[in-house]
Tab-separated table of all heavy atoms in Angstrom:
chain	number	residue	atom	x	y	z
Z	409	ALA	N	133.177	19.762	-6.968
Z	409	ALA	CA	134.173	20.841	-6.899
Z	409	ALA	C	135.510	20.329	-6.370
Z	409	ALA	O	136.576	20.717	-6.858
Z	409	ALA	CB	133.652	21.971	-6.012
Z	410	HIS	N	135.452	19.444	-5.401
Z	410	HIS	CA	136.698	18.971	-4.796
Z	410	HIS	C	137.488	18.068	-5.743
Z	410	HIS	O	138.689	17.880	-5.555
Z	410	HIS	CB	136.407	18.284	-3.451
Z	410	HIS	CG	135.862	19.251	-2.446
Z	410	HIS	ND1	134.918	18.915	-1.508
Z	410	HIS	CD2	136.092	20.582	-2.270
Z	410	HIS	CE1	134.612	19.991	-0.789
Z	410	HIS	NE2	135.316	21.014	-1.237
Z	411	ALA	N	136.804	17.548	-6.763
Z	411	ALA	CA	137.504	16.697	-7.738
Z	411	ALA	C	138.188	17.529	-8.826
Z	411	ALA	O	138.892	16.983	-9.681
Z	411	ALA	CB	136.522	15.724	-8.374
Z	412	ASP	N	137.970	18.828	-8.793
Z	412	ASP	CA	138.527	19.713	-9.812
Z	412	ASP	C	140.060	19.629	-9.799
Z	412	ASP	O	140.668	19.469	-8.744
Z	412	ASP	CB	138.088	21.145	-9.482
Z	412	ASP	CG	138.052	22.009	-10.715
Z	412	ASP	OD1	138.162	21.448	-11.819
Z	412	ASP	OD2	137.925	23.240	-10.573
Z	413	ASP	N	140.666	19.691	-10.971
Z	413	ASP	CA	142.124	19.651	-11.080
Z	413	ASP	C	142.495	20.565	-12.244
Z	413	ASP	O	142.531	20.143	-13.399
Z	413	ASP	CB	142.574	18.204	-11.325
Z	413	ASP	CG	144.093	18.056	-11.319
Z	413	ASP	OD1	144.790	19.029	-11.661
Z	413	ASP	OD2	144.570	16.960	-10.981
Z	414	PHE	N	142.740	21.826	-11.921
Z	414	PHE	CA	142.911	22.846	-12.952
Z	414	PHE	C	144.064	22.518	-13.893
Z	414	PHE	O	143.950	22.638	-15.118
Z	414	PHE	CB	143.109	24.216	-12.286
Z	414	PHE	CG	143.132	25.365	-13.257
Z	414	PHE	CD1	142.049	25.616	-14.077
Z	414	PHE	CD2	144.239	26.188	-13.355
Z	414	PHE	CE1	142.059	26.673	-14.981
Z	414	PHE	CE2	144.272	27.243	-14.260
Z	414	PHE	CZ	143.175	27.477	-15.078
Z	415	GLU	N	145.169	22.060	-13.331
Z	415	GLU	CA	146.370	21.756	-14.119
Z	415	GLU	C	146.085	20.634	-15.143
Z	415	GLU	O	146.410	20.746	-16.329
Z	415	GLU	CB	147.453	21.285	-13.148
Z	415	GLU	CG	148.860	21.491	-13.605
Z	415	GLU	CD	149.862	20.964	-12.550
Z	415	GLU	OE1	149.490	20.148	-11.677
Z	415	GLU	OE2	150.996	21.381	-12.624
Z	416	LEU	N	145.435	19.594	-14.656
Z	416	LEU	CA	145.105	18.454	-15.510
Z	416	LEU	C	144.113	18.871	-16.595
Z	416	LEU	O	144.243	18.507	-17.769
Z	416	LEU	CB	144.519	17.335	-14.633
Z	416	LEU	CG	144.086	16.044	-15.291
Z	416	LEU	CD1	145.223	15.404	-16.073
Z	416	LEU	CD2	143.560	15.065	-14.228
Z	417	GLN	N	143.147	19.660	-16.171
Z	417	GLN	CA	142.130	20.138	-17.111
Z	417	GLN	C	142.745	21.002	-18.207
Z	417	GLN	O	142.424	20.850	-19.392
Z	417	GLN	CB	141.085	20.931	-16.329
Z	417	GLN	CG	139.952	21.455	-17.167
Z	417	GLN	CD	138.917	22.160	-16.315
Z	417	GLN	OE1	138.286	21.571	-15.452
Z	417	GLN	NE2	138.745	23.435	-16.544
Z	418	GLN	N	143.667	21.880	-17.813
Z	418	GLN	CA	144.311	22.752	-18.808
Z	418	GLN	C	145.077	21.906	-19.838
Z	418	GLN	O	145.072	22.202	-21.028
Z	418	GLN	CB	145.269	23.741	-18.126
Z	418	GLN	CG	144.603	24.823	-17.322
Z	418	GLN	CD	143.986	25.927	-18.187
Z	418	GLN	OE1	142.801	25.933	-18.438
Z	418	GLN	NE2	144.764	26.860	-18.645
Z	419	TYR	N	145.713	20.848	-19.360
Z	419	TYR	CA	146.443	19.974	-20.293
Z	419	TYR	C	145.480	19.306	-21.274
Z	419	TYR	O	145.695	19.322	-22.497
Z	419	TYR	CB	147.250	18.910	-19.532
Z	419	TYR	CG	147.747	17.814	-20.440
Z	419	TYR	CD1	148.675	18.095	-21.450
Z	419	TYR	CD2	147.270	16.504	-20.339
Z	419	TYR	CE1	149.113	17.103	-22.320
Z	419	TYR	CE2	147.714	15.506	-21.205
Z	419	TYR	CZ	148.623	15.821	-22.198
Z	419	TYR	OH	149.059	14.848	-23.080
Z	420	LEU	N	144.415	18.718	-20.740
Z	420	LEU	CA	143.467	18.013	-21.614
Z	420	LEU	C	142.836	18.973	-22.622
Z	420	LEU	O	142.659	18.642	-23.796
Z	420	LEU	CB	142.385	17.328	-20.762
Z	420	LEU	CG	142.889	16.138	-19.943
Z	420	LEU	CD1	141.885	15.769	-18.859
Z	420	LEU	CD2	143.161	14.924	-20.842
Z	421	HIS	N	142.534	20.167	-22.166
Z	421	HIS	CA	141.891	21.137	-23.057
Z	421	HIS	C	142.863	21.652	-24.119
Z	421	HIS	O	142.479	21.866	-25.265
Z	421	HIS	CB	141.311	22.291	-22.251
Z	421	HIS	CG	140.087	21.919	-21.464
Z	421	HIS	ND1	139.050	22.787	-21.221
Z	421	HIS	CD2	139.737	20.750	-20.877
Z	421	HIS	CE1	138.101	22.170	-20.523
Z	421	HIS	NE2	138.514	20.943	-20.286
Z	422	LEU	N	144.115	21.830	-23.726
Z	422	LEU	CA	145.095	22.299	-24.714
Z	422	LEU	C	145.420	21.190	-25.711
Z	422	LEU	O	145.582	21.436	-26.918
Z	422	LEU	CB	146.366	22.796	-24.013
Z	422	LEU	CG	147.381	23.486	-24.929
Z	422	LEU	CD1	146.766	24.686	-25.645
Z	422	LEU	CD2	148.617	23.929	-24.135
Z	423	HIS	N	145.481	19.975	-25.221
Z	423	HIS	CA	145.683	18.817	-26.090
Z	423	HIS	C	144.566	18.774	-27.141
Z	423	HIS	O	144.804	18.582	-28.336
Z	423	HIS	CB	145.693	17.533	-25.249
Z	423	HIS	CG	146.074	16.299	-25.991
Z	423	HIS	ND1	145.192	15.628	-26.817
Z	423	HIS	CD2	147.233	15.596	-26.038
Z	423	HIS	CE1	145.793	14.574	-27.339
Z	423	HIS	NE2	147.038	14.523	-26.885
Z	424	ALA	N	143.325	18.992	-26.669
Z	424	ALA	CA	142.184	18.989	-27.589
Z	424	ALA	C	142.306	20.141	-28.590
Z	424	ALA	O	142.172	19.947	-29.811
Z	424	ALA	CB	140.887	19.108	-26.797
Z	425	LEU	N	142.601	21.321	-28.085
Z	425	LEU	CA	142.680	22.509	-28.948
Z	425	LEU	C	143.728	22.315	-30.038
Z	425	LEU	O	143.512	22.663	-31.214
Z	425	LEU	CB	143.020	23.717	-28.068
Z	425	LEU	CG	142.784	25.102	-28.643
Z	425	LEU	CD1	141.334	25.295	-29.071
Z	425	LEU	CD2	143.154	26.158	-27.604
Z	426	ASN	N	144.863	21.756	-29.672
Z	426	ASN	CA	145.930	21.519	-30.648
Z	426	ASN	C	145.540	20.497	-31.706
Z	426	ASN	O	146.188	20.398	-32.751
Z	426	ASN	CB	147.203	21.046	-29.931
Z	426	ASN	CG	147.956	22.212	-29.309
Z	426	ASN	OD1	147.748	23.369	-29.681
Z	426	ASN	ND2	148.831	21.911	-28.354
Z	427	ARG	N	144.484	19.741	-31.429
Z	427	ARG	CA	143.985	18.784	-32.434
Z	427	ARG	C	142.668	19.259	-33.021
Z	427	ARG	O	141.874	18.483	-33.572
Z	427	ARG	CB	143.867	17.384	-31.802
Z	427	ARG	CG	145.268	16.760	-31.665
Z	427	ARG	CD	145.411	15.947	-30.398
Z	427	ARG	NE	146.845	15.598	-30.188
Z	427	ARG	CZ	147.717	16.396	-29.535
Z	427	ARG	NH1	147.333	17.571	-29.039
Z	427	ARG	NH2	148.983	16.045	-29.400
Z	428	GLY	N	142.425	20.566	-32.875
Z	428	GLY	CA	141.258	21.164	-33.532
Z	428	GLY	C	139.931	20.878	-32.851
Z	428	GLY	O	138.900	20.755	-33.522
Z	429	ILE	N	139.953	20.809	-31.512
Z	429	ILE	CA	138.709	20.547	-30.769
Z	429	ILE	C	138.609	21.537	-29.614
Z	429	ILE	O	139.521	21.637	-28.788
Z	429	ILE	CB	138.703	19.108	-30.205
Z	429	ILE	CG1	138.720	18.108	-31.361
Z	429	ILE	CG2	137.488	18.863	-29.313
Z	429	ILE	CD1	139.232	16.749	-30.974
Z	430	LEU	N	137.501	22.249	-29.556
Z	430	LEU	CA	137.319	23.223	-28.473
Z	430	LEU	C	136.372	22.677	-27.415
Z	430	LEU	O	135.238	22.306	-27.712
Z	430	LEU	CB	136.739	24.529	-29.036
Z	430	LEU	CG	136.703	25.689	-28.046
Z	430	LEU	CD1	138.101	26.279	-27.847
Z	430	LEU	CD2	135.741	26.780	-28.490
Z	431	LEU	N	136.869	22.629	-26.170
Z	431	LEU	CA	136.043	22.241	-25.019
Z	431	LEU	C	135.750	23.491	-24.189
Z	431	LEU	O	136.509	24.455	-24.226
Z	431	LEU	CB	136.786	21.230	-24.144
Z	431	LEU	CG	137.036	19.853	-24.761
Z	431	LEU	CD1	138.076	19.093	-23.941
Z	431	LEU	CD2	135.746	19.049	-24.839
Side-chain angles (χ1 to χ4, degrees):
H410 295 145
D412 206 11
D413 185 332
F414 187 59
E415 206 181 19
L416 180 56
Q417 182 177 297
Q418 289 284 99
Y419 167 65
L420 290 164
H421 288 213
L422 188 58
H423 188 281
L425 197 57
N426 281 341
R427 284 143 191 87
I429 296 158
L430 189 75
L431 293 165

